[in-house]
Amino acid sequence: RGGAPHREGRSRAERAASNAERVARAARSAGCGVVEALRLLLAANVRRYAPSLAVLPSDMFRETQLHAHQTEQALGEGRGLLRGLFCEHALALTGERAAAASAGEVGARMSMSEWVGMWAHFELYDAKFSPAHAKLCAAHAQSVVTDALRRSDAFTSLSFADFVEAVCRVAMVKPIPQAEQMSRMGMRTHYDFVDAQVKLGRYKAWLDRAARALPPYAERCSRESGVEVPIAEEVRRLLTVLAQAREREHDRAVLLALGPDAAMPRRRSIM
């Protein structure tokens, strides 16, 4: 906003140089350092127009939630599942499938489209958790890039550590039934519960209640109240759902191999 539009065919290096020159001019004009000038430019041209969730400081979530003892314990319990999901849905930068042993290494990355596609593949989007929410969680989870020109892939992909953090952020916005609710209805999986709610005509009402029961994303990321609403149980519930989704896709693949008549039908969208 406020600047001249970019020329057609302008290279990334030229745009980077132009942005750097703009920051330097702002610094001279304001009589401050480059870092402070960049902060002022962001406040004037980006933050005031962006949704509040999009500009939350990422480190607050990490400090109050991700690195909390309870959350790290939950992630430790699901580490094998997380590595498996990353390997199955991420492509290495070379274009080859990431081997299980290299899921945590620098070369293995998951693109934004693969991240968004994973949730679609598992049919876990709904009216309260959309592809836009998934992208927001991934954007907040991305590591800081110190060399934007040579490490441009880091702007559009997730490392394994980023992936784990993004899953934790999804746990704060994705409504999932409580174990007691499922037990009361005699349901074994999240999918069984959702299908039953749809058939009974209660799905939308349940989804609205479940979403309201989740503490606000911004509140959970604040140093003042974040530690009072740890997300360990939500992370466990989401990992359970992902394990069910992975098992369901495996069963579907087995049935598909037996023939088209045996294949499990895809669920209709309930967004």
Side-chain angles (χ1 to χ4, degrees), residues 130-141:
S130 67
H133 290 105
K135 289 178 183 178
L136 178 64
C137 291
H140 279 172

Side-chain angles (χ1 to χ4, degrees), residues 68-206:
H69 172 70
Q70 303 98 312
T71 307
E72 290 185 336
Q73 188 174 22
L75 291 173
E77 296 164 4
R79 190 164 184 81
L81 169 67
L82 289 164
R83 281 189 176 277
L85 289 170
F86 186 84
C87 294
E88 290 160 13
H89 294 272
L91 288 172
L93 293 179
T94 58
E96 299 175 354
R97 281 286 160 194
S102 66
E105 295 180 3
V106 174
R109 301 195 70 86
M110 174 180 280
S111 71
M112 190 66 73
S113 62
E114 288 168 341
W115 162 257
V116 172
M118 181 184 79
W119 301 98
H121 184 69
F122 288 152
E123 299 172 326
L124 288 174
Y125 286 127
D126 53 47
K128 302 298 182 182
F129 174 61
S130 67
H133 290 105
K135 289 178 183 178
L136 178 64
C137 291
H140 279 172
Q142 285 178 311
S143 304
V144 174
V145 179
T146 55
D147 189 339
L149 295 179
R150 296 181 183 178
R151 293 290 315 284
S152 60
D153 60 284
F155 282 124
T156 57
S157 62
L158 303 170
S159 67
F160 177 64
D162 297 338
F163 169 76
V164 172
E165 180 178 335
V167 169
C168 290
R169 291 178 181 274
V170 170
M172 296 198 298
V173 295
K174 167 67 180 167
I176 296 174
Q178 300 277 353
E180 309 84 70
Q181 291 177 302
M182 294 180 58
S183 177
R184 197 162 54 243
M185 293 185 65
M187 300 293 139
R188 188 180 72 84
T189 71
H190 169 80
Y191 296 99
D192 296 336
F193 178 87
V194 169
D195 288 342
Q197 292 292 317
V198 170
K199 288 177 182 176
L200 293 169
R202 301 174 183 168
Y203 176 71
K204 186 177 183 304
W206 169 80

